[in-house]
Amino acid sequence: MRQTRKQTSQRTIWLSLFLGAILFEASPATAAFGSTIPEANPIQTNTVQSQTIAGAGTVGDKNGPAPSATFRQPMGIAVHSDGSASIADSSNQLIRKVTNNTVNTYAGLSISRDAKGFPEGTLLDGPLHQSMFQQPQGLDVDREGNLYVADAENHSIRKITPQGVVTIAGDGVQGYQDGREEKARFHSPADVAVAEDGTIYVADTLNHAIRKITPKGKVTTLNRVSERIVALSSGYVERAGDYQDGKLSEAKFNEPSGIAIDAQGNLYVSDSGNQRIRYIDLKNETVTTVAGEPTLAYPPASFYAEGALEDGEAGKAKFQFPKGIAVTAEGGLVIADSVNHAIRYLHGGTVTTLATSFDTPVDVDVDAQGNIWVVDSGANAILQLQIPEKK
């Protein structure tokens, strides 16, 4: 997500989010940076209205006028300084762009289809329309306007410039390894955030890790990787994420899937499997839970903490697989609460619900006017929450 905002076999969370894709192929859906954004009006949580910006609600890859354009499970967004928005059109294996009420393909192509007729992807660098992706998800923009992509099923981090696409970390092979550039390995990274100095932070989802890529391409892991084992049945176990606040090097996460940098240069993390929002103070090297209860116990034989929907005091708020996040000009945090079908807002120690009735909101960003852009993956649509001016 933007600096200013915003598997199992891929297990239950991915099944929850991706199940709709199977249904969408069978029938139309029915549901409807790098630099600090200018000062915007404080969000008034009782007066938010939404409108569809792009997407007809059906599955496809049609370009053209935004209302009739089609997507195939979009998963990420980054709003540029000129007001355009890049979209990770995940199951089309494309990066699309919404500009002046028109949708076009910005990067990527698919030259084959699988047995079900779905577009196939792979890892290929090159010119914009000769490059290839595989389930691209989270996006962010640096101060020069270059776009960064968490290319989830290529287990890589990609960079898009006007000249083309290059892989800056990862080699297309699933794994966990620190190192430089292609020697590093990731497991289904879901999001990226680019700092002012060019450092890239990665939500390395299925490694349950927050990774750091220096401007020179060195990849390191900031937290302790989980060693928790879940026994699913007699003789069958699988690794899972875990939960621990405190010193950054000892902290643990459970499928982190959203990451954003605040005005102090610290990190918010959407800790999806733990149903919580975490905060990484990079200077003090600490991790705290800023929304959701600060203690946690997993149900027996469960990968994930139990989720729910509850507003109020941040320490008692509840979420259901929160994903994309974005920081607002007033220092609040917008949260795509995916399985609760809601957009939530954390500010001043309180969590409120801004809007509901989405299908599967998976990512958010905030533009220069303070409007909130929402990727509704289940509805194959891009929406905007319009924040009225404070009187």
Side-chain angles (χ1 to χ4, degrees), residues 48-117:
V48 176
Q49 297 181 346
S50 67
Q51 67 170 342
T52 299
I53 298 298
T58 55
V59 174
D61 57 5
K62 180 182 177 182
N63 287 322
S68 60
T70 55
F71 300 90
R72 191 186 306 267
Q73 199 184 6
M75 293 295 290
I77 187 169
V79 179
H80 299 256
S81 59
D82 64 359
S84 63
S86 291
I87 310 296
D89 193 3
S90 191
S91 290
N92 272 327
Q93 323 297 356
L94 301 173
I95 305 300
R96 315 280 291 283
K97 199 162 189 179
V98 183
T99 308
N100 296 326
N101 203 36
T102 301
V103 175
N104 287 299
T105 297
Y106 180 58
L109 81 161
S110 179
I111 59 177
S112 62
R113 304 239 167 188
D114 63 17
K116 295 182 179 179

Side-chain angles (χ1 to χ4, degrees), residues 212-281:
K212 174 183 175 180
I213 307 174
T214 69
K216 293 185 177 180
K218 182 181 179 181
V219 179
T220 55
T221 302
L222 300 184
N223 64 291
R224 183 178 178 181
V225 175
S226 173
E227 298 178 350
R228 186 169 72 99
I229 299 294
V230 173
L232 299 178
S233 62
S234 179
Y236 179 60
V237 299
E238 190 169 344
R239 288 191 178 276
D242 209 337
Y243 175 76
Q244 183 172 319
D245 278 340
K247 188 177 179 181
L248 175 57
S249 61
E250 297 297 320
K252 298 176 184 178
F253 296 86
N254 189 345
E255 298 192 10
S257 59
I259 191 166
I261 305 177
D262 71 5
Q264 289 71 47
N266 296 317
L267 305 175
Y268 283 101
V269 176
S270 182
D271 194 6
S272 297
N274 283 327
Q275 322 293 1
R276 283 156 172 77
I277 305 299
R278 317 282 293 281
Y279 187 74
I280 301 176
D281 186 321

Side-chain angles (χ1 to χ4, degrees), residues 243 245 262 267-271 275-281 286-294 312-317 319 325 331 333 335 345-351:
Y243 175 76
D245 278 340
D262 71 5
L267 305 175
Y268 283 101
V269 176
S270 182
D271 194 6
Q275 322 293 1
R276 283 156 172 77
I277 305 299
R278 317 282 293 281
Y279 187 74
I280 301 176
D281 186 321
T286 58
V287 176
T288 54
T289 297
V290 292
E293 294 182 1
E313 181 183 337
K316 297 180 180 179
F319 304 88
I325 52 179
L333 189 74
I335 303 158
Y345 190 53
L346 168 64
H347 184 246
T350 301
V351 174

